[in-house]
Amino acid sequence: MANDLSFQFMTNNAYLYSIGPSIAHVLEQDYQQLLLCKLAELQDLALEAKFVFKGDLGKSLSSFIDSYHSLLFSMYQYQIALKLESPSTRLSRSCRR
């Protein structure tokens, strides 16, 4: 399954729907800023989960949210790499030399 489609599936919920389009617009400032803000919120939620839910439940929930954050960020980074290595980008780079 393509990375961008997987990202859409992972962000197809009420909390993350606003960052779904960022995968199609990598490195565009408006989309990137929204994505980074939402990812920072996820990190905050992971920390809060440790305090709200005590014991193993809090640790597990915090770990899940933190892993979800890491996955989304890694998928976004991978999409950047794909964009930079696309045939049209390589052609435009070779024309600048």
Side-chain angles (χ1 to χ4, degrees), residues 2-83:
N3 184 57
D4 54 345
L5 185 58
S6 295
F7 189 88
Q8 289 291 336
F9 288 150
M10 298 296 293
T11 58
N12 187 21
N13 59 64
Y15 186 71
L16 298 173
Y17 77 96
S18 61
I19 64 170
S22 63
I23 199 74
H25 302 277
V26 292
L27 299 178
E28 291 182 27
Q29 185 176 5
D30 292 339
Y31 293 95
Q32 189 174 29
Q33 183 179 8
L34 183 61
L35 172 78
L36 294 175
C37 288
K38 192 58 85 168
L39 290 177
E41 285 178 27
L42 280 176
Q43 284 181 315
D44 293 343
L45 283 174
L47 183 61
E48 289 173 17
K50 288 181 185 177
F51 298 111
V52 173
F53 302 97
K54 300 294 181 196
D56 290 339
L57 178 61
K59 289 177 187 175
S60 297
L61 188 56
S62 178
S63 177
F64 174 78
I65 296 170
D66 199 36
S67 296
Y68 208 87
H69 161 269
S70 296
L71 175 66
L72 291 176
F73 189 62
S74 295
M75 292 172 83
Y76 185 76
Q77 290 176 315
Y78 184 69
Q79 194 68 20
I80 291 170
L82 288 175
K83 180 178 182 175

